[in-house]
Amino acid sequence: KPNLAQSCDLVDVRDRRWLKVVDSSGKPVPAALVQVVDLEHDKLLWAGTTYGDGRLPFYSRAAAARLGATQLSERLVVQVAQGEARARADWTGAADLVVALPTERGSSRLALDVVFAIDTTGSMGDEIQRIKETLAAVTRKLVGLDQEFDLRYGAVLFRDLGDLYVTSTHPFTSDLEAFGKALQQVGAAGGGDGPESVNQALAELTRLDWREGAAKVAFLIGDAPPHMDYEGDVPYGQSALAALAQGIRIHSVAASGLDGLGTLVFRQVAQLTRGKFIFIEYGSTAASAERHGVTGSVSSNNLDDIIFAQIRDEIAHWGREAPPAMVSEK
């Protein structure tokens, strides 16, 4: 069995608390900037951006670990900002907190940034072909939605050290047709030793030119765990927390062949960023779910349906209360 301390980036998510931002009428405020400050030590503990339902998770143990402490002071203050509006609240960290901004949230056209972080090593040939077909289908469905939004696509392709590239980035573009044509040129090659450069891909993902105030969605698609033995890498857990700080929701998509360690990593990334762990397989859906430790009902592992549903839900729930399934996230 692998040594988890060496094979994974273990982030302690126990004692999670929800920080929720609402406007003066009680409606959720997405894309609000939130800071948690330890007054006793005058230190910034946590910084993040609320998701579409106005909520941001605060992982107290992860925040304490950053300070080299086992627990935090109970003298905390939460500072919230969006545009010119500001608010603050004293907090002990013992329970969830709601902070109200002294203004009513206006309505504007939704900006939506979507990124695909794709493992393009040799074993991903079949999945890459499916992704090419999926993107065209998903775009058609999104354009057909009865809602206006400003959509941009971007991509981070990744392989491994010694390959043609470690990461190759396609900047955000609103020219969806040109993006689709560029994706058609992507092929699978390289890899070979099992783990791939997932760490570098996630680090690059957080460095993209995401728009302030946009709904931010990413799909991490791969069939291998990260290399954790490369010097100078940013561990995937740190990148996931950096994504959380920017309000980026990462859905991790396990392609055929992802092993138990890879499943653990992909599930961590999704959990930390309020995304979903999704799997695509060629065999029995039920067998695939059992293999990845997924319990409960599984409706589809069709890639078109999976990606479209997550983007559609992001749009539908922006600025609205979280549905029950999201409120009870673990």
Side-chain angles (χ1 to χ4, degrees):
K1 292 183 179 180
N3 183 325
L4 289 183
Q6 297 177 353
S7 304
C8 300
D9 188 14
L10 299 177
V11 179
D12 195 336
V13 296
R14 291 174 294 173
D15 300 332
R16 180 201 62 198
R17 300 289 181 255
W18 288 110
L19 301 173
K20 183 178 180 180
V21 181
V22 298
D23 66 7
S24 57
S25 65
K27 295 178 182 177
V29 177
L33 304 179
V34 180
Q35 294 182 326
V36 180
V37 177
D38 180 342
L39 292 177
E40 188 172 313
H41 300 98
D42 192 26
K43 288 185 178 294
L44 176 64
L45 297 176
W46 201 252
T49 304
T50 56
Y51 287 87
D53 60 356
R55 298 191 306 153
L56 170 75
F58 173 69
Y59 300 115
S60 61
R61 292 180 183 247
R66 288 178 170 180
L67 300 179
T70 55
Q71 62 182 25
L72 298 176
S73 160
E74 293 185 354
R75 292 186 59 224
L76 307 177
V77 64
V78 178
Q79 302 173 160
V80 177
Q82 188 180 65
E84 299 299 316
R86 300 285 188 276
R88 58 179 282 153
D90 293 327
W91 189 42
T92 65
D96 298 343
L97 179 70
V98 178
V99 181
L101 285 170
T103 184
E104 192 164 352
R105 189 174 72 87
S107 59
S108 59
R109 191 182 187 199
L110 174 64
L112 174 63
D113 288 345
V114 179
V115 166
F116 301 91
I118 308 169
D119 179 347
T120 61
T121 53
S123 59
M124 286 287 290
D126 291 335
E127 282 81 2
I128 289 172
Q129 184 56 42
R130 291 179 70 180
I131 292 166
K132 292 175 181 179
E133 297 165 359
T134 287
L135 182 64
V138 168
T139 303
R140 285 194 299 271
K141 291 180 181 178
L142 289 174
V143 171
L145 288 175
D146 187 23
Q147 185 168 346
E148 284 195 12
F149 53 91
D150 179 12
L151 174 64
R152 299 193 310 173
Y153 283 148
V156 177
L157 313 178
F158 65 96
R159 290 182 179 170
D160 204 356
L161 293 183
D163 292 335
L164 180 61
Y165 56 80
V166 176
T167 61
S168 176
T169 300
H170 291 247
F172 279 115
T173 179
S174 55
D175 189 338
L176 307 184
E177 184 178 352
F179 181 85
K181 288 179 179 178
L183 193 64
Q184 292 300 319
Q185 306 306 311
V186 174
D193 67 345
E196 310 298 358
S197 290
V198 179
N199 281 338
Q200 289 93 331
L202 288 173
E204 285 299 315
L205 185 153
T206 64
R207 297 175 187 137
L208 290 174
D209 186 24
W210 299 88
R211 286 176 290 184
E212 185 177 343
K216 304 167 186 175
V217 184
F219 295 90
L220 170 64
I221 307 171
D223 67 353
H227 265 288
M228 298 298 289
D229 54 350
Y230 288 162
E231 212 171 308
D233 262 8
V234 177
Y236 66 85
Q238 289 186 30
S239 292
L241 292 178
L244 178 70
Q246 297 178 63
I248 304 168
R249 191 189 308 275
I250 304 177
H251 300 292
S252 53
V253 183
S256 176
L258 185 70
D259 62 17
L261 178 59
T263 294
L264 172 61
V265 169
F266 276 42
R267 293 185 76 154
Q268 278 184 281
V269 171
Q271 178 186 29
L272 286 169
T273 61
R274 297 192 63 194
K276 292 183 179 178
F277 171 77
I278 303 159
F279 59 87
I280 49 175
E281 296 283 352
Y282 295 104
S284 159
T285 300
S288 298
E290 182 178 1
R291 181 167 171 266
H292 291 298
V294 176
T295 58
S297 61
V298 179
S299 59
S300 171
N301 70 345
N302 178 280
L303 195 59
D304 295 12
D305 295 340
I306 288 168
I307 291 180
F308 171 68
Q310 307 319 314
I311 300 176
R312 177 202 62 203
D313 289 351
E314 193 73 37
I315 296 169
H317 299 141
W318 189 256
R320 295 178 172 87
E321 294 292 343
M326 294 180 72
V327 172
S328 60
E329 287 166 334
K330 300 296 183 185

